[in-house]
Amino acid sequence: MYPLLFRVVLSRFDPEFAHHAAMAVIRVLGVPPFSWVTRAIAAPRPEQQVSALGLTFDSPFGVAAGFDKNAIGVRGLAALGFGHVEIGTITAIPQEGNPQPRLFRLVPDRAVINRMGFNNDGADAAAKRLRKLRMRRPKTVVGVNIGKSRVVDVADATADYVASASLLAPLADYLAVNVSSPNTPGLRGLQAVETLAPLLRAVKAAAGSTPLLVKIAPDLPDDEIEAIARLAVDEGLDGIIAHNTTISRDGLRTDAAVVEAAGAGGLSGAPLRERSMEVLRIVRASVPSEFCVISVGGVETADDVQARLDAGATLVQGYTAFLYRGPLWARQINRGLRPR
């Protein structure tokens, strides 16, 4: 039913408009009595629980950052069966992001190009929403992804991240440092080990006891991925999220003119499947077995998610296939996974 609805109706809408419409529905699904019905249909089975980061996840499969930028749909996403929701990316200073249009579907590739630019309401607004959410005891793990404010110079990035971490870490189940989005000028340069080490050290101090992870890019050379993985261990981080969107356009089936018209931005979706598995294996081989590795990129089916878990991922996240698979996507994934 959903594939037909997407092909005939939803694909005709502007992608960003369609996303906001979907989020409105998801928010409704998080409110009783709708949440009771949704959870009865989509909740993970008890044997799918995973222990990681000192937390219990109802399922190893969760929503990647970018889907719920402002912590408004957590309860609905939890009701739909996701084992965790990573909100954000949140910046210390509210920002509108890049000019529209900034989100583009590549339907033949089951992929998306985005250059959203960290559009969000800012750390203060997110903190207020998270406080209310905590009072309602959400039935899912909530991670918070933080990034650099666009108006802040790269030289002052550490203080900007620390400001967000200080506000949000006490309200997060875990905190993720995003230094890998291609849509904020200068951000990916922070992945250089000599720059990243003091940044992570400062954020870790601000995060206190909240588990801290770093999110990396897939476009880094393999030796740099290994170096960041070792750095994360040496600096006492709790995990790595591998990985963000790619600036590569290799191997796409979508007409080249359509891809060129979409322009700059990060590519996500099925074309990242192979590289994502490569990055996962590099990271897993570079860190201790108990170190949390969250694999993101190119997962669409239960077999995709199971393959990541078999390759050593502690948890798996998805986003883009939600657009193509519809509201029961998490349920489909969870029903197809082997019991833990």
Side-chain angles (χ1 to χ4, degrees):
M1 175 65 77
Y2 182 82
L4 178 63
L5 177 65
F6 176 82
R7 187 170 62 250
V8 175
V9 179
L10 298 181
S11 63
R12 300 178 185 274
F13 288 101
D14 171 78
E16 191 166 350
F17 172 84
H19 176 83
H20 289 307
M23 185 59 78
V25 174
I26 288 168
R27 294 178 71 176
V28 170
L29 295 179
V31 178
F34 305 105
S35 60
W36 303 336
V37 176
T38 306
R39 187 172 292 278
I41 295 170
R45 298 188 298 268
E47 61 268 25
Q48 291 179 314
Q49 285 190 349
V50 176
S51 295
L53 302 172
L55 305 164
T56 299
F57 296 75
D58 286 342
S59 162
F61 185 59
V63 184
F67 193 89
D68 185 359
K69 293 179 178 293
N70 289 302
I72 61 174
V74 171
R75 292 197 296 164
L77 291 166
L80 285 169
F82 291 98
H84 69 281
V85 178
E86 187 172 310
I87 68 161
T89 296
I90 305 293
T91 55
I93 301 169
Q95 55 189 46
E96 295 183 357
N98 291 319
Q100 298 181 7
R102 53 194 180 182
L103 185 63
F104 308 88
R105 301 185 193 94
L106 306 185
V107 177
D109 290 290
R110 300 181 75 78
V112 163
I113 291 174
N114 94 83
R115 53 172 174 273
M116 303 301 289
F118 290 169
N119 55 306
N120 75 104
D121 296 337
D124 282 327
K128 290 175 183 176
R129 294 188 183 115
L130 287 171
R131 285 190 194 97
K132 290 182 180 178
L133 188 65
R134 290 300 177 202
M135 292 173 64
R136 296 169 181 170
R137 298 182 180 179
K139 297 183 182 299
T140 193
V141 171
V142 181
V144 179
N145 184 296
I146 59 172
K148 185 186 79 68
S149 304
R150 180 179 289 267
V151 298
V152 172
D153 290 338
V154 172
D156 300 319
T158 296
D160 189 61
Y161 278 96
V162 166
S164 293
S166 299
L167 270 174
L168 297 170
L171 302 165
D173 288 315
Y174 71 83
L175 199 67
V177 177
N178 186 350
V179 288
S180 50
S181 170
N183 300 318
T184 296
L187 187 73
R188 284 192 168 194
L190 295 174
Q191 292 177 112
V193 169
E194 62 274 12
T195 307
L196 187 58
L199 169 63
L200 293 178
R201 208 168 295 140
V203 175
K204 181 172 172 57
S209 61
T210 302
L212 182 65
L213 298 86
V214 61
K215 187 169 186 175
I216 63 173
D219 306 308
L220 292 168
D222 292 357
D223 61 338
E224 291 186 25
I225 293 172
E226 292 174 359
I228 293 174
R230 290 194 296 270
L231 173 68
V233 174
D234 292 344
E235 292 296 334
L237 268 66
D238 301 277
I240 289 179
I241 302 175
H243 48 70
N244 215 314
T245 58
T246 181
I247 57 174
S248 172
R249 300 292 187 265
D250 293 341
L252 297 179
R253 293 181 293 176
T254 300
D255 186 274
V258 174
V259 176
E260 185 176 355
L267 175 75
S268 61
L272 277 74
R273 185 178 292 115
E274 184 175 343
R275 178 57 178 165
S276 186
M277 183 65 85
E278 291 174 354
V279 173
L280 168 61
R281 288 178 172 139
I282 293 167
V283 171
R284 184 77 274 171
S286 305
V287 300
S289 58
E290 67 274 11
F291 197 73
C292 180
V293 180
I294 302 179
S295 182
V296 197
V299 296
E300 183 165 346
T301 67
D303 287 343
D304 292 332
V305 175
Q306 190 65 59
R308 302 298 171 89
L309 297 172
D310 292 344
T314 314
L315 302 164
V316 181
Q317 293 178 345
Y319 174 173
T320 302
F322 206 169
L323 283 65
Y324 294 103
R325 288 274 178 165
L328 294 180
W329 182 41
R331 181 185 186 276
Q332 295 163 4
I333 296 288
N334 290 326
R335 295 296 185 272
L337 294 178
R338 294 197 305 267
R340 300 287 285 182

